[in-house]
Amino acid sequence: MSETEAVYTAALEAARAGRPVVLATIVRAKGSTPRGVGSKLLVDPQRGLVGTVGGGCGEAQVIETAGEVARTGVPRLLRIDLTEDLLSWSPAVCGGVFDVFLERL
């Protein structure tokens, strides 16, 4: 099963169980980013995470914002800017910018 199939399968299982979840999808990417447009992360407060939008501090921001979207039901467009990370000590920085759309399902 592909990662995208796993995300949709988990979303369907949550819907059947009546559990609200948040789907995060990369809708725009510029520069060097860890994942491309269309990458998905399902945040299920009861079951955890399925998929990824890149990991690290950017994904942590997405997960934090997903909690807000889960509580309010209001979709969000979140910009993750990794360009400031270029000054970081870590050799694993990307240096791009990507936008993630979060919606409660």
Side-chain angles (χ1 to χ4, degrees):
M1 175 182 307
S2 75
E3 187 174 283
T4 299
E5 289 171 324
V7 167
Y8 287 132
T9 298
L12 182 58
E13 289 171 3
R16 287 181 176 153
R19 280 191 329 272
V21 294
V22 175
L23 180 63
T25 306
I26 297 178
V27 295
R28 180 182 166 275
K30 183 177 180 184
S32 178
T33 59
R35 298 294 298 251
V37 170
S39 295
K40 298 181 183 324
L41 170 68
L42 188 76
V43 180
D44 183 335
Q46 293 182 16
R47 301 278 172 99
L49 309 173
V50 179
T52 184
V53 290
C57 61
E59 189 158 287
Q61 286 179 266
V62 170
I63 294 166
E64 182 179 329
T65 303
E68 177 186 322
V69 171
R71 282 188 304 278
T72 66
V74 177
R76 288 275 312 270
L77 183 63
L78 180 65
R79 174 154 292 171
I80 305 296
D81 186 344
L82 302 175
T83 57
E84 291 181 14
D85 286 345
L86 289 175
L87 302 176
S88 169
W89 57 269
S90 173
V93 297
C94 296
V97 176
F98 60 101
D99 294 337
V100 181
F101 181 71
L102 295 96
E103 59 188 319
R104 186 170 74 183
L105 304 179

